[in-house]
Each structure stands twice: as C-alpha cells, then as structure tokens.
Amino acid sequence: MGVVNVTPDSFSDGGRWFEADAAAEHGRALAAAGADLLDVGGESTRPGSARPSAEEELARVLPVVTALASDGLVVSVDTMRAEVARAALVAGARVVNDVSGGLADPRMPEVVAASGVPFVVMHWRGLLSDPHEQPHYEDVTGEVCRELTARVEVLLAAGVGEDQLVLDPGFGFSKDAAHNWELLGGLAQVVALGLPVVVGTSRKRFLGRLPQRTGAAPLTDAEPTPPTARDAATAATSLLAAQAGAWAVRVHEVGPTLDALAVWEQTQRWRRAR
Ligand code: PMM
C-alpha cells in the first residue's frame, strides 16, 4: 500500500504532494514502483494539527482518487469521515481506511456496510481529542487485540460483513516507542485474530531513534533522524510484518520494502527447492 498524502502538514512527507496533479503523479510513481494499492488521504493525524473541514478534505482527496482510479489503479481512501468515504467510493476508490476504526463518525459503519468494500479498522484510543495523550497499557498487544475485537463486534452488529474487515494495530497512534516495539514483536497475535492485517510503521518516529543512528539508547528522547532517512528501517519492519503474516504494509517508499520482501522470498524459494 503506497501512501499518497494530499496534506500540507503530514509528518512524513511534509506537504510535498499537496497539489492534486503532483499527488496523482506521485501515486502513479508508487504504482509503477510496485504498489498494489494507493492510499489517498487529505487529513493529517500529526499531533496538534487542525482538522480540515469536510469540504476541504473532499477538495483535496477527490481529484486525486478520480485521477488514479481512472488510470485503473486500486485506490483506498484514508478518511475518518463517512461523507468523504462515500464520495471517494463514487469517484472510484475501492477500499476505505479509517484510522479511527469507525469511531470518529457514527455514520461510517453504514456507508461501509452499504458499499461492501474492504474496511481497514485501525486501533487508536485518542482520536484527535488530546494530542498529548499519555497512553498506558499493561500488555499493549493483548489490549490492542481486545480493543480491535470490540470494534469488530460493533461493526458486524452495524451490518458490515466480516469479509470486509481488515485490522490495523495503529503504530504510533496512542502508543509510544516502547509500545510500538512490543507490538511489532507481537504482531503474530494480531494476525491470529483471523482477519487480514495492515501494518503502518513507515517513517514513524520510533524508527528515527535507532541507537546506532542517534548514538543514544533506543527509548531516550534523542533527536530523531528525519522521516526520509527511515526507509531502510521501514523495509525491515515490512519484512517482519510479512513474516508475521500481515496482508499489507502501508509505506511511503515502495522500492526498499519490495527489496526486503524479495530477499525473504528468495530464501523461501531455495528452501522449498531443496
Ligand atoms: N498511519 C498514518 C495515516 N494513516 N492508516 C493506517 N491504516 N495505518 C497507519 O498506520 C496510518 C494510516 C499516519 O502516517 P502518515 O502521516 O505518514 O500518513
């Protein structure tokens, strides 16, 4: 899944693709590099960023979804608004990706249920209410699994089909670096819930604080590397995600992840050949 952020303020690619034409061109480049799915989003979830109005979000997202879908590319829309999801589906999107897991907009479940498309249900406790939230978990992986299961039950009761549901543990959302590392190590538990799983670690802050890069211990407040310097670490997390059984990884740069997956694939092939 290649990331197409049509936002002026996303942490990871800082507004580079804010113009619709540039964003569509970027989406085409990600597809040409091997992305199977293009995730188009018009709202930054960066802590403290102001929400765009629904009109503004629609104006950002729709031209890009239309352009990419009319090229025959498979598009998901990254939105917490039912209205934006509905309009994007009409414009040709084939997947809805909601970082609130359907919590932010009470009308989201009915839009998703009526469309029958895959729905990515991400784990996030905080929504946009408190950018400085201090997440607390006794057992992050277990709690994420339980909270995702609770979302699934609500969505099924609202008429969303089980075959539509895709889970995402929500790296960096209501989670600090230690939580992210523990969750990455425990990803197989999320996969064991039995639904397809998306993993979105790409360029996230915890990957910018690897000790050999910052010269500090992993969980300190050392100055992180810039987001664009985190693609090798992202390729490594993509490989771990694939090995744990993830269905998709959401990445900004497709090449390094495909290389990492190809390395694993080759070893599997030779092992099978023996
Ligand atoms: N992360 C971001 C945005 N959307 N969607 C899913 N399903 N999973 C994620 O982890 C996720 C997401 C924030 O990252 P960005 O600003 O680089 O897009």
Side-chain angles (χ1 to χ4, degrees):
M1 183 190 253
V3 179
V4 184
N5 282 327
V6 200
T7 55
D9 56 350
S10 208
F11 85 92
S12 50
D13 42 17
R16 285 178 64 198
W17 321 112
F18 189 42
E19 296 298 326
D21 289 346
E25 207 42 55
H26 182 57
R28 289 186 196 101
L30 290 170
D36 297 316
L37 183 58
L38 300 169
D39 191 38
V40 178
E43 174 173 6
S44 167
T45 49
R46 184 188 188 131
S49 62
R51 291 198 79 178
S53 66
E55 293 68 32
E56 172 66 21
E57 193 185 344
L58 284 164
R60 292 178 185 180
V61 158
L62 288 185
V64 183
V65 171
T66 305
L68 295 173
S70 61
D71 283 356
L73 299 169
V74 186
V75 174
S76 65
V77 59
D78 185 348
T79 185
M80 294 188 277
R81 288 189 168 111
E83 178 187 351
V84 176
R86 189 189 286 117
L89 291 169
V90 171
R94 290 200 247 162
V95 176
V96 176
N97 173 27
D98 181 349
V99 295
S100 81
L103 274 173
D105 186 336
R107 293 163 308 157
M108 185 64 96
E110 75 190 56
V111 168
V112 170
S115 70
V117 300
F119 182 50
V120 180
V121 181
M122 202 192 79
H123 178 269
W124 186 10
R125 282 179 175 172
L127 301 185
L128 296 168
S129 52
D130 179 7
H132 304 296
E133 52 170 347
Q134 291 288 332
H136 178 78
Y137 301 87
E138 297 295 328
D139 159 22
V140 64
T141 312
E143 286 167 61
V144 165
C145 286
R146 279 196 291 284
E147 290 166 30
L148 280 174
T149 301
R151 288 305 307 146
V152 164
E153 281 161 12
V154 169
L155 291 164
L156 292 175
V160 179
E162 191 173 4
D163 58 353
Q164 289 180 258
L165 294 172
V166 176
L167 303 179
D168 184 332
F171 284 90
F173 287 82
S174 328
K175 290 156 200 95
D176 64 21
H179 298 136
N180 289 328
W181 289 118
E182 190 176 335
L183 194 53
L184 190 59
L187 211 51
Q189 276 184 64
V190 184
V191 173
L193 294 174
L195 293 170
V197 171
V198 171
V199 172
T201 55
S202 185
R203 295 185 177 174
K204 287 191 177 162
R205 179 174 281 262
F206 74 114
L207 299 184
R209 290 211 172 105
L210 299 174
Q212 67 278 26
R213 291 288 206 118
T214 63
L219 299 181
T220 59
D221 288 338
E223 181 62 21
T225 57
T228 48
R230 302 174 194 163
D231 288 331
T234 300
T237 59
S238 295
L239 177 55
L240 292 174
Q243 289 179 329
W247 170 74
V249 286
R250 180 181 180 280
V251 296
H252 299 86
E253 194 68 59
V254 173
T257 278
L258 281 181
D259 284 352
L261 297 180
V263 166
W264 182 43
E265 171 62 21
Q266 290 303 319
T267 63
Q268 296 301 99
R269 181 171 301 170
W270 288 105
R271 184 183 300 169
R272 279 196 297 269
R274 280 168 66 99

